[in-house]
Amino acid sequence: MNTTLIAVIAAAFVIWALISVAKSNLKNDQKVIWFAIVILLPILGPIVYWFKHKK
């Protein structure tokens, strides 16, 4: 149960990060890099994106 909850939260965070990158005003090449970071580093990638691009 606990592991499932953590997995669901992590998946939601990744989905949020992907949507946020898609809607951002970044250039297309920067978007591709952020997509790759978020997908290849599913926990760390969204966290780094959040700290790097929070307004």
Side-chain angles (χ1 to χ4, degrees), residues 14-52:
V14 169
I15 291 169
W16 165 82
L18 291 173
I19 292 170
S20 180
V21 170
K23 290 182 174 182
S24 71
N25 292 330
L26 297 171
K27 296 178 184 176
N28 285 340
D29 57 340
Q30 293 174 330
K31 284 184 182 184
V32 170
I33 292 169
W34 276 112
F35 277 130
I37 290 171
V38 169
I39 291 171
L40 294 175
L41 303 169
I43 302 297
L44 187 61
I47 293 171
V48 171
Y49 178 77
W50 184 63
F51 280 114
K52 187 85 170 156

